[in-house]
Amino acid sequence: MATITLLGTAPGYPAAYRNHSSFLLETGGHKILVDAGESCSRTLIELGIQPVELDTIIITHGHSDHTGGLAMVIQSCWIMGRERPLPIFLPRELIQPLTIWLNASYIGPDFIPFALQFQAWEDSHQVDICGVEVRVAPTTHLDALVKRFGNGRFHPFSLAFNSPEFEFVASGDIGAPEDLLPQLKDGTNLLICELAHFPPSALFKFLQKIRIGRLVLTHAAAEVLPGIDSVLAEAHATLPNTEIIFAEDKMQVRIPGRGEARG
């Protein structure tokens, strides 16, 4: 059985009792960390999982609420005696600055005894990671920065995961629900979707014509959190055939198997 554990569900700035964006995918004996917001390494320890056990790290984009815990994950792996390489899939623009940052913290490639295998999404938008096909698609989350600074940087991605046993989609950060069209053209048994950068009603209306078995809402904006009960009521009313889950830190979600309609 494949599972997802939500390590961090906060919006893009500190929120009480919530870590920043991160989840752990466990499948076939493998552990894949998706985004590395702080304090993902501490939360892993609290769940009885050592960071050194991670097989791969996936980064959707460069915002610090998705990358701020990466250095501590790598430092933990070093302290715990990791020897095998650590693959890290990420936008190409992050490779050089992350290498400089990690070396400045004395835990980069110049210092640690295991290889950091940076692999850019731009090299292949579809890769095999621990037996799971992972497909990325660009989103408009950073378009305001593109307009201001040019298109040489600012490349966020959504994620679709496919294996013989399961499939699901994770939004990463998106500019609008329509960003998910490339990943949801056939629907999905499970969608993990952020709720910070557009009105919740826009997401629910967009999903009305798409087959979604289970919807996990995470990364809710601070102005959304106080009214989350009414947001969930709207979600249930708009998507009556979809199981709706509001994410909390340390929540474990079973990934439906292929052929399962919901929960």
Side-chain angles (χ1 to χ4, degrees), residues 160-242:
F161 297 79
N162 285 277
S163 82
E165 292 77 34
F166 64 84
E167 52 82 19
F168 72 95
V169 172
S171 68
D173 279 7
I174 54 179
E178 289 74 17
D179 287 355
L180 296 173
L181 275 173
Q183 306 287 32
L184 293 179
K185 59 183 179 180
D186 298 319
T188 185
N189 285 345
L190 172 64
L191 170 62
I192 303 172
C193 191
E194 66 113 328
L195 211 57
H197 301 101
F198 44 83
S201 58
L203 174 66
F204 307 146
K205 182 178 180 180
F206 167 75
L207 294 177
Q208 275 186 308
K209 297 181 180 180
I210 300 174
R211 178 188 61 82
I212 305 293
R214 179 179 296 167
L215 173 62
V216 178
L217 299 170
T218 187
H219 199 49
E223 59 270 23
V224 171
L225 286 172
I228 195 62
D229 288 342
S230 62
V231 170
L232 293 175
E234 179 183 4
H236 286 295
T238 309
L239 303 168
N241 297 317
T242 297

Side-chain angles (χ1 to χ4, degrees), residues 142-154:
L142 301 178
D143 274 12
L145 294 177
V146 173
K147 291 176 183 177
R148 182 177 178 184
F149 297 104
N151 200 29
R153 301 177 56 193
F154 317 120

Side-chain angles (χ1 to χ4, degrees), residues 1-23:
M1 180 180 71
T3 61
I4 289 167
T5 303
L6 300 159
L7 305 177
T9 62
Y13 41 94
Y17 311 112
R18 290 179 183 270
N19 294 323
H20 286 301
S21 295
S22 183
F23 70 82

Side-chain angles (χ1 to χ4, degrees), residues 71-72 74-79 98-114 116:
M72 184 53 67
I74 294 171
Q75 181 165 309
S76 300
C77 289
W78 183 14
I79 291 172
L98 281 178
T99 300
I100 293 171
W101 174 42
L102 293 169
N103 277 332
S105 302
Y106 321 123
I107 52 170
D110 292 349
F111 297 88
I112 58 177
F114 59 93
L116 298 177

